[in-house]
Amino acid sequence: MAELSVLDGLFKEVYADKIENLVPEASHLTKAVPFEKAAQQGQEYVQPVLVSSVGGFTVGDNTQAYTLNASSGFVCKDAKITSSGLVLRQSIPYGQLAKSNSDKGSFINATRLTVQNMMESMTKRNEINYLYGESGIGTVSANDTYVSGADITVSIDADTWAAGIWSGSESSTTIQLYDTTAAANVNDGAGNDTFVVKTVDIDNKKLTLTAKNATLAAALNTAVTTNSHSCVIYFQGTKGVEAMGLQAICQTSGTLFGIDNTTYSLFKGNDVSIATGDLTVKKLLKSFNSAIGRGLSEETTIYLNPETWIGLASTLEDVRRLDASYKPSRTEEGTEAIEIHTSAGISKIVPHLYVKANDVFIVPTKRLLRTGASDITFTLDGMDGRFFRQLENQAGFELRCFSSQSMFTAHPAKCTYAKIATV
């Protein structure tokens, strides 16, 4: 059995400088948006932003020595960002590392699956947060439930369903359901309010959940059937704690990152509705209007649900008419993205596994920033390069993965959350 110092050295040699290479392709925002450690003030991270342009213009008659108006400088405010910490723990049995010794190849074989899975899980959770932090990951409101003891099967509202969020979550994902009418988590009256995802029915958009006890399962059933309450799903412990995602940023009216956007309109995002029915390029272009009117004039990326993206592909004749430089290679079967020309500039349309069925995000990615205390890491400053820790009461070692960050933009007025209206 290799010593801890040897294992730490091998981990650093094999993985430490290559962590970004393990980010899965589905994590589009993680790949497209850089991480930048912000200045910290107490528990918050601070980014200075411009919320008002310079003024002080004077128009005069050039035949006269006219009086100049006073100058009016731009307004700069400090945006205060509260990032949310995320820790993932994974144990590795002694036997898995027993043959590693100081051999790099053996170490890779023993740890590759664990490290890769941790990175995939960590980036998935962060990616979902970048989109839906503080907004919830799905809604249950249909009267289609089935209770069996502590198990309850619920239907997720079709417009809030994203198969990618739930895929692979069986037995490993713990959630809470926030009753929007009662303004509290569904609970059993004794403080228990957690459910574990037992099975996922992708085709029918259903989850079977195992409640903490049968009383809790019955309480959820009563909330959505008898009381007709909508219950928003959150990962356990995240509501009111996790950092804001793009939906919340675009929908917030009032204080956003410590700045009053009712006073400074450039710090207010765009929350728009798209007409019911299949998404078309023409409908999509209309959803740009609010952001364009508030200064958007640059390349953007449109993130939408893969099924919505497939439907949009059927309207590609519209793209040909809009852009004489259209290239067939952009739209061949199996293409990863569509590019269209808008009055704001070129926009790339990207299918995103974690975007809900009726949601569309339109963002200039160069205006986004992932900021906070730390990007994803397996060791923290001050840990002297240590990655592994020996478990006290189990025959194995533990790896921990950590991040503390938030999605941020200094230009909310150029970002749009659009929702396809339901009938």
Side-chain angles (χ1 to χ4, degrees), residues 212-246:
K212 193 74 173 179
N213 52 52
T215 303
L216 178 57
L220 176 57
N221 186 58
T222 298
V224 299
T225 58
T226 304
N227 298 333
S228 299
H229 291 180
S230 291
C231 296
V232 180
I233 304 172
Y234 291 85
F235 291 119
Q236 180 184 5
T238 58
K239 180 167 176 54
V241 176
E242 65 183 346
M244 298 177 71
L246 288 173

PDB file of all heavy atoms in Angstrom, residues 212-246:
ATOM      1  N   LYS A 212     -38.743  10.518   3.541  1.00  0.00           N
ATOM      2  CA  LYS A 212     -38.127  10.156   4.819  1.00  0.00           C
ATOM      3  C   LYS A 212     -39.013   9.183   5.588  1.00  0.00           C
ATOM      4  O   LYS A 212     -38.523   8.307   6.301  1.00  0.00           O
ATOM      5  CB  LYS A 212     -37.890  11.429   5.644  1.00  0.00           C
ATOM      6  CG  LYS A 212     -36.996  11.244   6.838  1.00  0.00           C
ATOM      7  CD  LYS A 212     -35.548  11.092   6.429  1.00  0.00           C
ATOM      8  CE  LYS A 212     -34.622  11.066   7.625  1.00  0.00           C
ATOM      9  NZ  LYS A 212     -33.209  10.888   7.245  1.00  0.00           N
ATOM     10  N   ASN A 213     -40.326   9.328   5.404  1.00  0.00           N
ATOM     11  CA  ASN A 213     -41.281   8.414   6.033  1.00  0.00           C
ATOM     12  C   ASN A 213     -42.603   8.498   5.272  1.00  0.00           C
ATOM     13  O   ASN A 213     -42.788   9.355   4.391  1.00  0.00           O
ATOM     14  CB  ASN A 213     -41.475   8.740   7.520  1.00  0.00           C
ATOM     15  CG  ASN A 213     -41.804  10.211   7.746  1.00  0.00           C
ATOM     16  OD1 ASN A 213     -42.719  10.748   7.130  1.00  0.00           O
ATOM     17  ND2 ASN A 213     -41.044  10.859   8.626  1.00  0.00           N
ATOM     18  N   ALA A 214     -43.540   7.606   5.602  1.00  0.00           N
ATOM     19  CA  ALA A 214     -44.820   7.540   4.901  1.00  0.00           C
ATOM     20  C   ALA A 214     -45.646   8.808   5.121  1.00  0.00           C
ATOM     21  O   ALA A 214     -46.409   9.228   4.243  1.00  0.00           O
ATOM     22  CB  ALA A 214     -45.603   6.303   5.354  1.00  0.00           C
ATOM     23  N   THR A 215     -45.496   9.428   6.280  1.00  0.00           N
ATOM     24  CA  THR A 215     -46.243  10.662   6.570  1.00  0.00           C
ATOM     25  C   THR A 215     -45.830  11.774   5.611  1.00  0.00           C
ATOM     26  O   THR A 215     -46.667  12.552   5.141  1.00  0.00           O
ATOM     27  CB  THR A 215     -46.001  11.107   8.024  1.00  0.00           C
ATOM     28  OG1 THR A 215     -46.382  10.056   8.910  1.00  0.00           O
ATOM     29  CG2 THR A 215     -46.820  12.351   8.357  1.00  0.00           C
ATOM     30  N   LEU A 216     -44.548  11.851   5.316  1.00  0.00           N
ATOM     31  CA  LEU A 216     -44.053  12.877   4.388  1.00  0.00           C
ATOM     32  C   LEU A 216     -44.563  12.620   2.976  1.00  0.00           C
ATOM     33  O   LEU A 216     -44.947  13.558   2.264  1.00  0.00           O
ATOM     34  CB  LEU A 216     -42.526  12.909   4.424  1.00  0.00           C
ATOM     35  CG  LEU A 216     -41.841  13.891   3.476  1.00  0.00           C
ATOM     36  CD1 LEU A 216     -42.329  15.315   3.722  1.00  0.00           C
ATOM     37  CD2 LEU A 216     -40.319  13.811   3.635  1.00  0.00           C
ATOM     38  N   ALA A 217     -44.573  11.357   2.557  1.00  0.00           N
ATOM     39  CA  ALA A 217     -45.103  11.029   1.230  1.00  0.00           C
ATOM     40  C   ALA A 217     -46.571  11.440   1.129  1.00  0.00           C
ATOM     41  O   ALA A 217     -47.013  11.996   0.115  1.00  0.00           O
ATOM     42  CB  ALA A 217     -44.940   9.539   0.957  1.00  0.00           C
ATOM     43  N   ALA A 218     -47.331  11.184   2.176  1.00  0.00           N
ATOM     44  CA  ALA A 218     -48.752  11.556   2.187  1.00  0.00           C
ATOM     45  C   ALA A 218     -48.929  13.073   2.162  1.00  0.00           C
ATOM     46  O   ALA A 218     -49.852  13.597   1.531  1.00  0.00           O
ATOM     47  CB  ALA A 218     -49.435  10.965   3.425  1.00  0.00           C
ATOM     48  N   ALA A 219     -48.018  13.793   2.824  1.00  0.00           N
ATOM     49  CA  ALA A 219     -48.106  15.259   2.842  1.00  0.00           C
ATOM     50  C   ALA A 219     -47.888  15.839   1.457  1.00  0.00           C
ATOM     51  O   ALA A 219     -48.575  16.789   1.049  1.00  0.00           O
ATOM     52  CB  ALA A 219     -47.075  15.819   3.826  1.00  0.00           C
ATOM     53  N   LEU A 220     -46.936  15.271   0.699  1.00  0.00           N
ATOM     54  CA  LEU A 220     -46.723  15.735  -0.668  1.00  0.00           C
ATOM     55  C   LEU A 220     -47.936  15.419  -1.540  1.00  0.00           C
ATOM     56  O   LEU A 220     -48.364  16.253  -2.343  1.00  0.00           O
ATOM     57  CB  LEU A 220     -45.466  15.096  -1.252  1.00  0.00           C
ATOM     58  CG  LEU A 220     -45.162  15.413  -2.717  1.00  0.00           C
ATOM     59  CD1 LEU A 220     -45.035  16.915  -2.949  1.00  0.00           C
ATOM     60  CD2 LEU A 220     -43.879  14.705  -3.180  1.00  0.00           C
ATOM     61  N   ASN A 221     -48.485  14.248  -1.373  1.00  0.00           N
ATOM     62  CA  ASN A 221     -49.669  13.864  -2.139  1.00  0.00           C
ATOM     63  C   ASN A 221     -50.830  14.817  -1.869  1.00  0.00           C
ATOM     64  O   ASN A 221     -51.528  15.251  -2.792  1.00  0.00           O
ATOM     65  CB  ASN A 221     -50.071  12.430  -1.781  1.00  0.00           C
ATOM     66  CG  ASN A 221     -51.201  11.923  -2.652  1.00  0.00           C
ATOM     67  OD1 ASN A 221     -51.087  11.890  -3.871  1.00  0.00           O
ATOM     68  ND2 ASN A 221     -52.304  11.529  -2.031  1.00  0.00           N
ATOM     69  N   THR A 222     -51.023  15.177  -0.612  1.00  0.00           N
ATOM     70  CA  THR A 222     -52.092  16.120  -0.246  1.00  0.00           C
ATOM     71  C   THR A 222     -51.846  17.495  -0.848  1.00  0.00           C
ATOM     72  O   THR A 222     -52.766  18.151  -1.351  1.00  0.00           O
ATOM     73  CB  THR A 222     -52.198  16.241   1.284  1.00  0.00           C
ATOM     74  OG1 THR A 222     -52.542  14.968   1.827  1.00  0.00           O
ATOM     75  CG2 THR A 222     -53.253  17.257   1.683  1.00  0.00           C
ATOM     76  N   ALA A 223     -50.599  17.938  -0.821  1.00  0.00           N
ATOM     77  CA  ALA A 223     -50.279  19.276  -1.336  1.00  0.00           C
ATOM     78  C   ALA A 223     -50.637  19.411  -2.809  1.00  0.00           C
ATOM     79  O   ALA A 223     -51.218  20.420  -3.227  1.00  0.00           O
ATOM     80  CB  ALA A 223     -48.801  19.579  -1.111  1.00  0.00           C
ATOM     81  N   VAL A 224     -50.285  18.401  -3.626  1.00  0.00           N
ATOM     82  CA  VAL A 224     -50.466  18.540  -5.073  1.00  0.00           C
ATOM     83  C   VAL A 224     -51.815  18.026  -5.574  1.00  0.00           C
ATOM     84  O   VAL A 224     -52.239  18.398  -6.666  1.00  0.00           O
ATOM     85  CB  VAL A 224     -49.325  17.849  -5.850  1.00  0.00           C
ATOM     86  CG1 VAL A 224     -47.996  18.482  -5.504  1.00  0.00           C
ATOM     87  CG2 VAL A 224     -49.308  16.356  -5.593  1.00  0.00           C
ATOM     88  N   THR A 225     -52.486  17.187  -4.790  1.00  0.00           N
ATOM     89  CA  THR A 225     -53.780  16.659  -5.242  1.00  0.00           C
ATOM     90  C   THR A 225     -54.949  17.344  -4.545  1.00  0.00           C
ATOM     91  O   THR A 225     -55.758  18.015  -5.177  1.00  0.00           O
ATOM     92  CB  THR A 225     -53.854  15.134  -5.031  1.00  0.00           C
ATOM     93  OG1 THR A 225     -53.645  14.825  -3.653  1.00  0.00           O
ATOM     94  CG2 THR A 225     -52.809  14.420  -5.863  1.00  0.00           C
ATOM     95  N   THR A 226     -55.014  17.208  -3.241  1.00  0.00           N
ATOM     96  CA  THR A 226     -56.130  17.803  -2.499  1.00  0.00           C
ATOM     97  C   THR A 226     -56.088  19.320  -2.521  1.00  0.00           C
ATOM     98  O   THR A 226     -57.111  19.986  -2.740  1.00  0.00           O
ATOM     99  CB  THR A 226     -56.111  17.303  -1.041  1.00  0.00           C
ATOM    100  OG1 THR A 226     -56.138  15.880  -1.031  1.00  0.00           O
ATOM    101  CG2 THR A 226     -57.312  17.845  -0.271  1.00  0.00           C
ATOM    102  N   ASN A 227     -54.900  19.900  -2.313  1.00  0.00           N
ATOM    103  CA  ASN A 227     -54.782  21.361  -2.216  1.00  0.00           C
ATOM    104  C   ASN A 227     -54.418  22.040  -3.530  1.00  0.00           C
ATOM    105  O   ASN A 227     -54.449  23.264  -3.616  1.00  0.00           O
ATOM    106  CB  ASN A 227     -53.737  21.727  -1.164  1.00  0.00           C
ATOM    107  CG  ASN A 227     -54.112  21.231   0.224  1.00  0.00           C
ATOM    108  OD1 ASN A 227     -55.297  21.074   0.530  1.00  0.00           O
ATOM    109  ND2 ASN A 227     -53.119  20.971   1.056  1.00  0.00           N
ATOM    110  N   SER A 228     -54.071  21.241  -4.547  1.00  0.00           N
ATOM    111  CA  SER A 228     -53.699  21.784  -5.870  1.00  0.00           C
ATOM    112  C   SER A 228     -52.583  22.821  -5.780  1.00  0.00           C
ATOM    113  O   SER A 228     -52.608  23.842  -6.469  1.00  0.00           O
ATOM    114  CB  SER A 228     -54.931  22.384  -6.568  1.00  0.00           C
ATOM    115  OG  SER A 228     -55.919  21.406  -6.766  1.00  0.00           O
ATOM    116  N   HIS A 229     -51.620  22.563  -4.925  1.00  0.00           N
ATOM    117  CA  HIS A 229     -50.488  23.470  -4.782  1.00  0.00           C
ATOM    118  C   HIS A 229     -49.366  23.082  -5.743  1.00  0.00           C
ATOM    119  O   HIS A 229     -49.142  21.896  -5.987  1.00  0.00           O
ATOM    120  CB  HIS A 229     -49.942  23.434  -3.349  1.00  0.00           C
ATOM    121  CG  HIS A 229     -50.864  24.025  -2.337  1.00  0.00           C
ATOM    122  ND1 HIS A 229     -50.562  24.081  -0.992  1.00  0.00           N
ATOM    123  CD2 HIS A 229     -52.094  24.601  -2.465  1.00  0.00           C
ATOM    124  CE1 HIS A 229     -51.553  24.648  -0.344  1.00  0.00           C
ATOM    125  NE2 HIS A 229     -52.495  24.970  -1.222  1.00  0.00           N
ATOM    126  N   SER A 230     -48.665  24.076  -6.254  1.00  0.00           N
ATOM    127  CA  SER A 230     -47.474  23.819  -7.054  1.00  0.00           C
ATOM    128  C   SER A 230     -46.285  23.680  -6.112  1.00  0.00           C
ATOM    129  O   SER A 230     -46.111  24.484  -5.195  1.00  0.00           O
ATOM    130  CB  SER A 230     -47.227  24.961  -8.038  1.00  0.00           C
ATOM    131  OG  SER A 230     -48.218  24.982  -9.032  1.00  0.00           O
ATOM    132  N   CYS A 231     -45.478  22.667  -6.344  1.00  0.00           N
ATOM    133  CA  CYS A 231     -44.302  22.429  -5.510  1.00  0.00           C
ATOM    134  C   CYS A 231     -43.054  22.460  -6.388  1.00  0.00           C
ATOM    135  O   CYS A 231     -42.935  21.674  -7.333  1.00  0.00           O
ATOM    136  CB  CYS A 231     -44.408  21.085  -4.796  1.00  0.00           C
ATOM    137  SG  CYS A 231     -45.784  21.002  -3.620  1.00  0.00           S
ATOM    138  N   VAL A 232     -42.159  23.364  -6.083  1.00  0.00           N
ATOM    139  CA  VAL A 232     -40.934  23.532  -6.862  1.00  0.00           C
ATOM    140  C   VAL A 232     -39.832  22.672  -6.251  1.00  0.00           C
ATOM    141  O   VAL A 232     -39.640  22.668  -5.026  1.00  0.00           O
ATOM    142  CB  VAL A 232     -40.502  25.010  -6.901  1.00  0.00           C
ATOM    143  CG1 VAL A 232     -39.228  25.172  -7.727  1.00  0.00           C
ATOM    144  CG2 VAL A 232     -41.622  25.872  -7.468  1.00  0.00           C
ATOM    145  N   ILE A 233     -39.121  21.947  -7.096  1.00  0.00           N
ATOM    146  CA  ILE A 233     -38.089  21.022  -6.641  1.00  0.00           C
ATOM    147  C   ILE A 233     -36.734  21.725  -6.553  1.00  0.00           C
ATOM    148  O   ILE A 233     -36.324  22.428  -7.478  1.00  0.00           O
ATOM    149  CB  ILE A 233     -37.972  19.820  -7.591  1.00  0.00           C
ATOM    150  CG1 ILE A 233     -39.331  19.122  -7.743  1.00  0.00           C
ATOM    151  CG2 ILE A 233     -36.927  18.842  -7.089  1.00  0.00           C
ATOM    152  CD1 ILE A 233     -39.331  18.054  -8.823  1.00  0.00           C
ATOM    153  N   TYR A 234     -36.064  21.495  -5.431  1.00  0.00           N
ATOM    154  CA  TYR A 234     -34.703  21.986  -5.223  1.00  0.00           C
ATOM    155  C   TYR A 234     -33.825  20.826  -4.762  1.00  0.00           C
ATOM    156  O   TYR A 234     -34.296  19.916  -4.068  1.00  0.00           O
ATOM    157  CB  TYR A 234     -34.654  23.073  -4.143  1.00  0.00           C
ATOM    158  CG  TYR A 234     -35.314  24.370  -4.530  1.00  0.00           C
ATOM    159  CD1 TYR A 234     -36.685  24.559  -4.361  1.00  0.00           C
ATOM    160  CD2 TYR A 234     -34.572  25.423  -5.061  1.00  0.00           C
ATOM    161  CE1 TYR A 234     -37.293  25.753  -4.713  1.00  0.00           C
ATOM    162  CE2 TYR A 234     -35.169  26.619  -5.413  1.00  0.00           C
ATOM    163  CZ  TYR A 234     -36.530  26.780  -5.242  1.00  0.00           C
ATOM    164  OH  TYR A 234     -37.130  27.962  -5.598  1.00  0.00           O
ATOM    165  N   PHE A 235     -32.551  20.851  -5.136  1.00  0.00           N
ATOM    166  CA  PHE A 235     -31.617  19.924  -4.515  1.00  0.00           C
ATOM    167  C   PHE A 235     -31.596  20.210  -3.016  1.00  0.00           C
ATOM    168  O   PHE A 235     -31.768  21.359  -2.580  1.00  0.00           O
ATOM    169  CB  PHE A 235     -30.216  20.089  -5.095  1.00  0.00           C
ATOM    170  CG  PHE A 235     -30.075  19.645  -6.521  1.00  0.00           C
ATOM    171  CD1 PHE A 235     -29.689  20.543  -7.515  1.00  0.00           C
ATOM    172  CD2 PHE A 235     -30.325  18.328  -6.873  1.00  0.00           C
ATOM    173  CE1 PHE A 235     -29.550  20.130  -8.827  1.00  0.00           C
ATOM    174  CE2 PHE A 235     -30.191  17.908  -8.196  1.00  0.00           C
ATOM    175  CZ  PHE A 235     -29.815  18.810  -9.174  1.00  0.00           C
ATOM    176  N   GLN A 236     -31.398  19.174  -2.218  1.00  0.00           N
ATOM    177  CA  GLN A 236     -31.451  19.316  -0.770  1.00  0.00           C
ATOM    178  C   GLN A 236     -30.549  20.446  -0.275  1.00  0.00           C
ATOM    179  O   GLN A 236     -29.380  20.540  -0.626  1.00  0.00           O
ATOM    180  CB  GLN A 236     -31.037  18.010  -0.087  1.00  0.00           C
ATOM    181  CG  GLN A 236     -31.077  18.082   1.435  1.00  0.00           C
ATOM    182  CD  GLN A 236     -30.562  16.818   2.090  1.00  0.00           C
ATOM    183  OE1 GLN A 236     -30.082  15.913   1.422  1.00  0.00           O
ATOM    184  NE2 GLN A 236     -30.662  16.731   3.404  1.00  0.00           N
ATOM    185  N   GLY A 237     -31.134  21.307   0.540  1.00  0.00           N
ATOM    186  CA  GLY A 237     -30.381  22.358   1.207  1.00  0.00           C
ATOM    187  C   GLY A 237     -29.992  23.543   0.356  1.00  0.00           C
ATOM    188  O   GLY A 237     -29.238  24.410   0.811  1.00  0.00           O
ATOM    189  N   THR A 238     -30.510  23.633  -0.869  1.00  0.00           N
ATOM    190  CA  THR A 238     -30.049  24.705  -1.760  1.00  0.00           C
ATOM    191  C   THR A 238     -30.935  25.952  -1.738  1.00  0.00           C
ATOM    192  O   THR A 238     -30.434  27.051  -1.979  1.00  0.00           O
ATOM    193  CB  THR A 238     -29.957  24.204  -3.210  1.00  0.00           C
ATOM    194  OG1 THR A 238     -31.233  23.724  -3.636  1.00  0.00           O
ATOM    195  CG2 THR A 238     -28.938  23.086  -3.326  1.00  0.00           C
ATOM    196  N   LYS A 239     -32.227  25.805  -1.477  1.00  0.00           N
ATOM    197  CA  LYS A 239     -33.109  26.976  -1.546  1.00  0.00           C
ATOM    198  C   LYS A 239     -32.691  28.018  -0.520  1.00  0.00           C
ATOM    199  O   LYS A 239     -32.541  27.738   0.662  1.00  0.00           O
ATOM    200  CB  LYS A 239     -34.563  26.591  -1.321  1.00  0.00           C
ATOM    201  CG  LYS A 239     -35.480  27.823  -1.395  1.00  0.00           C
ATOM    202  CD  LYS A 239     -36.929  27.481  -1.495  1.00  0.00           C
ATOM    203  CE  LYS A 239     -37.792  28.737  -1.457  1.00  0.00           C
ATOM    204  NZ  LYS A 239     -37.402  29.722  -2.479  1.00  0.00           N
ATOM    205  N   GLY A 240     -32.498  29.249  -1.012  1.00  0.00           N
ATOM    206  CA  GLY A 240     -32.099  30.342  -0.146  1.00  0.00           C
ATOM    207  C   GLY A 240     -30.627  30.353   0.200  1.00  0.00           C
ATOM    208  O   GLY A 240     -30.158  31.260   0.885  1.00  0.00           O
ATOM    209  N   VAL A 241     -29.886  29.351  -0.291  1.00  0.00           N
ATOM    210  CA  VAL A 241     -28.461  29.247   0.021  1.00  0.00           C
ATOM    211  C   VAL A 241     -27.610  29.304  -1.244  1.00  0.00           C
ATOM    212  O   VAL A 241     -26.546  29.932  -1.261  1.00  0.00           O
ATOM    213  CB  VAL A 241     -28.159  27.935   0.785  1.00  0.00           C
ATOM    214  CG1 VAL A 241     -26.665  27.786   1.028  1.00  0.00           C
ATOM    215  CG2 VAL A 241     -28.917  27.909   2.102  1.00  0.00           C
ATOM    216  N   GLU A 242     -28.084  28.653  -2.304  1.00  0.00           N
ATOM    217  CA  GLU A 242     -27.282  28.567  -3.520  1.00  0.00           C
ATOM    218  C   GLU A 242     -27.199  29.912  -4.238  1.00  0.00           C
ATOM    219  O   GLU A 242     -28.032  30.806  -4.042  1.00  0.00           O
ATOM    220  CB  GLU A 242     -27.868  27.516  -4.465  1.00  0.00           C
ATOM    221  CG  GLU A 242     -29.250  27.848  -4.992  1.00  0.00           C
ATOM    222  CD  GLU A 242     -29.812  26.742  -5.874  1.00  0.00           C
ATOM    223  OE1 GLU A 242     -29.048  25.867  -6.286  1.00  0.00           O
ATOM    224  OE2 GLU A 242     -31.021  26.783  -6.155  1.00  0.00           O
ATOM    225  N   ALA A 243     -26.182  30.050  -5.062  1.00  0.00           N
ATOM    226  CA  ALA A 243     -25.999  31.275  -5.840  1.00  0.00           C
ATOM    227  C   ALA A 243     -27.059  31.377  -6.930  1.00  0.00           C
ATOM    228  O   ALA A 243     -27.628  30.379  -7.369  1.00  0.00           O
ATOM    229  CB  ALA A 243     -24.602  31.269  -6.468  1.00  0.00           C
ATOM    230  N   MET A 244     -27.324  32.591  -7.364  1.00  0.00           N
ATOM    231  CA  MET A 244     -28.332  32.825  -8.392  1.00  0.00           C
ATOM    232  C   MET A 244     -27.863  32.318  -9.751  1.00  0.00           C
ATOM    233  O   MET A 244     -26.699  32.473 -10.113  1.00  0.00           O
ATOM    234  CB  MET A 244     -28.649  34.319  -8.505  1.00  0.00           C
ATOM    235  CG  MET A 244     -29.234  34.939  -7.260  1.00  0.00           C
ATOM    236  SD  MET A 244     -29.500  36.710  -7.471  1.00  0.00           S
ATOM    237  CE  MET A 244     -30.860  36.703  -8.613  1.00  0.00           C
ATOM    238  N   GLY A 245     -28.796  31.718 -10.505  1.00  0.00           N
ATOM    239  CA  GLY A 245     -28.517  31.319 -11.869  1.00  0.00           C
ATOM    240  C   GLY A 245     -29.040  32.353 -12.855  1.00  0.00           C
ATOM    241  O   GLY A 245     -29.606  33.387 -12.473  1.00  0.00           O
ATOM    242  N   LEU A 246     -28.879  32.069 -14.138  1.00  0.00           N
ATOM    243  CA  LEU A 246     -29.263  33.036 -15.167  1.00  0.00           C
ATOM    244  C   LEU A 246     -30.756  33.358 -15.152  1.00  0.00           C
ATOM    245  O   LEU A 246     -31.152  34.499 -15.405  1.00  0.00           O
ATOM    246  CB  LEU A 246     -28.843  32.510 -16.546  1.00  0.00           C
ATOM    247  CG  LEU A 246     -27.343  32.527 -16.835  1.00  0.00           C
ATOM    248  CD1 LEU A 246     -27.043  31.823 -18.152  1.00  0.00           C
ATOM    249  CD2 LEU A 246     -26.816  33.967 -16.867  1.00  0.00           C
TER     250      LEU A 246
END
